[in-house]
Amino acid sequence: MTRIEEVSLRAILDSRGNRTVEAEVRTASGGFGRGAAPSGASTGEHEAIELPVDEAIAAAREKAVPRLEGRVFSGDQRAVDAALHAADGSEDFSDIGANSAVAISMAAAKAGADVLGAPLYQHLGGAFRGRNYPIPLGNVVGGGEHAADATHIQEFLAAPVGAPNVREAVFANAAVHRTVGDILDERDIPAAKGDEGAWAPSIDDEEAFEIVAEATDRVTDDVGFEIGFGLDVAAAELYEDGVYRYGDEERTTAEQVSYVAGLVEEYDLVYVEDPLDENDFTAFADLTDRVGSRTLICGDDLFVTNTERIAHGIDVGAANSVLVKPNQIGTLSDAFDAIEMATENGYDPVISHRSGETEDTTIAHLAVATDAPYIKTGAVGGERTAKLNELIRIAEEAQ
Ligand SMILES: C=C(OP(=O)(O)O)C(=O)O
Ligand SMILES: [Mg+2]
């Protein structure tokens, strides 16, 4: 029986060394699940609200826990998440905190799976889930809000689109990361790593393009399958007073659209996330019109995993892909709704980590459960490899 008996909350550390919310759910028949909230740095303006950790925990203990304990079945994820919404009452989880909500939602899902004796992806996806595994997008160079004095573009991503299986894809991304390190060495460029484990050298974007293109080419030759190249521009962070600022260089919106379209052409980009400001659906639609037939244009800060914003994007043709971050919207059910809406409308969902992460592996299971074609969860670093290694295990176990 998956009736929830106890929900407990505590503060733990995330990968940036900040405190975050961890939840544990125990069921009447001894099922157990644990979930921990990730946290963004380049957060979208329209995301659900992350409260200070102590506030989120206190509010969830007062308002959400009594609605769950002894009352809701953790096997019924929709009921768990509906109880979280009812406990909160706001539109954006500003009352109990999206950090508490998502931690409880994920913990309850795992407790539900535990009682069934099924892996989480099986519990979430059901008997007739798809048989595909996501292509991992792994950032190998980065800057923006994730590293000081590095590139303006937030993420340069390896995209092993030709990999024969998920394991080879994961290994290929790590090889690209390693090769970027070698090239930086060859060029005598010192580099630390950013929040997500990508190299964060103090170079301009142009040189980063050169280096990542060379690294993906070298590794492609080595492994014998195609490794594409993608970006998360995180353009909302560059947008100020109506222009996109790349240090001293400025681009108008029209120039930004042309610049990104040119990059797609020049580097044969397979993926471009947030190329424009988070409120500019029109410019997104312009760019999608120009290059959407040859690359994915993905909305992260644009859509914030929110079905109202995704529906609007679909109406105006703003993109052809949706980034899905459960903590942007607060519960797994809401994230599922976003994935379903995307898929039904021909938009590719990309399940994603945050820059501040924990060892939690829920997103790997979510990607497999929903047959998502892509997952973005870094290339190296313990909190990133936790998800990547889980994907390898899932693919092996589910064969
Ligand atoms: C993962 C990202 O960064 P953050 O978590 O800082 O929003 C992103 O922008 O896609
Ligand atoms: Mg992003």
Side-chain angles (χ1 to χ4, degrees):
M1 166 132 116
T2 68
R3 190 186 299 280
I4 292 174
E5 198 165 70
E6 189 190 353
V7 179
S8 54
L9 294 140
R10 67 170 68 86
I12 61 163
L13 285 177
D14 75 8
S15 54
R16 275 193 277 256
N18 294 330
R19 285 157 15 107
T20 190
V21 179
E22 178 170 88
E24 289 180 354
V25 168
R26 287 178 176 75
T27 73
S29 56
F32 173 76
R34 176 183 288 146
S39 177
S42 65
T43 45
E45 191 181 314
H46 305 283
E47 291 193 20
I49 303 298
E50 176 187 316
L51 291 178
V53 171
D54 290 339
E55 236 177 86
I57 289 177
R61 278 184 185 143
E62 184 197 331
K63 295 174 182 164
V65 174
R67 284 181 182 263
L68 292 163
E69 287 181 347
R71 297 170 75 169
V72 173
F73 290 94
S74 71
D76 184 351
Q77 191 63 33
R78 291 264 175 210
V80 171
D81 294 337
L84 290 168
H85 275 292
D88 181 81
S90 74
E91 287 281 290
D92 55 7
F93 278 115
S94 49
D95 223 19
I96 64 168
N99 36 351
S100 276
V102 82
I104 295 171
S105 181
M106 296 192 300
K110 290 183 196 173
D114 189 32
V115 173
L116 292 173
L120 181 59
Y121 68 85
Q122 187 69 43
H123 171 44
L124 295 176
F128 300 112
R129 69 180 172 80
R131 286 252 160 252
N132 301 305
Y133 298 96
I135 295 169
L137 305 173
N139 54 347
V140 293
V141 172
E145 293 298 298
H146 295 168
D149 298 324
T151 54
H152 296 294
I153 289 177
Q154 182 179 283
E155 299 169 22
F156 293 77
L157 299 148
V161 288
N165 57 51
V166 73
R167 188 190 58 223
E168 295 306 320
V170 166
F171 293 165
N173 281 354
V176 175
H177 187 277
R178 198 163 42 244
T179 305
V180 167
D182 294 342
I183 298 171
L184 290 169
D185 237 21
E186 289 159 19
R187 296 187 181 201
D188 277 331
I189 300 168
K193 290 180 187 168
D195 284 351
E196 296 177 350
W199 297 107
S202 187
I203 56 177
D204 56 27
D205 291 8
E206 215 175 296
E207 188 165 14
F209 275 108
E210 240 178 64
I211 290 172
V212 177
E214 187 178 335
T216 52
D217 283 352
R218 279 194 203 175
V219 179
T220 293
D221 286 348
D222 224 34
V223 296
F225 56 77
E226 188 190 348
I227 302 171
F229 187 163
L231 298 177
D232 180 0
V233 182
E237 303 293 341
L238 305 173
Y239 192 65
E240 211 187 309
D241 303 328
V243 292
Y244 294 87
R245 286 186 209 283
Y246 296 73
D248 296 335
E249 216 175 324
E250 277 180 17
R251 292 190 175 93
T252 63
T253 297
E255 287 167 348
Q256 175 76 357
V257 170
S258 296
Y259 170 61
V260 176
L263 293 173
V264 170
E265 192 82 32
E266 186 173 351
Y267 295 100
D268 210 8
L269 299 178
V270 296
Y271 177 82
V272 184
E273 181 182 325
D274 280 353
L276 293 144
D277 182 58
E278 62 198 317
N279 292 308
D280 200 343
F281 284 84
T282 310
F284 257 91
D286 274 358
L287 180 66
T288 302
D289 201 37
R290 280 174 69 162
V291 295
S293 60
R294 55 176 301 180
T295 192
L296 290 177
I297 300 294
C298 182
D300 169 14
D301 294 346
L302 180 76
F303 293 138
V304 292
T305 318
N306 180 315
T307 50
E308 272 179 40
R309 292 182 69 84
I310 297 167
H312 179 58
I314 289 165
D315 272 354
V316 301
N320 55 22
S321 173
V322 176
L323 207 75
V324 175
K325 295 168 165 170
N327 82 317
Q328 275 184 331
I329 194 69
T331 74
L332 286 179
S333 299
D334 291 291
F336 258 79
D337 291 344
I339 293 166
E340 194 168 60
M341 180 178 279
T343 307
E344 280 173 0
N345 289 280
Y347 277 43
D348 277 353
V350 179
I351 315 302
S352 173
H353 65 167
R354 300 307 306 249
S355 49
E357 267 295 340
T358 72
E359 313 85 281
D360 193 289
T361 60
T362 303
I363 58 166
H365 290 265
L366 180 62
V368 174
T370 57
D371 220 11
Y374 300 93
I375 186 169
K376 187 177 86 157
T377 187
V380 298
E383 70 283 358
R384 316 293 153 186
T385 53
K387 284 86 164 157
L388 297 169
N389 290 338
E390 187 75 350
L391 268 180
I392 292 173
R393 291 181 205 108
I394 293 171
E396 186 181 295
E397 173 190 290
Q399 266 166 14

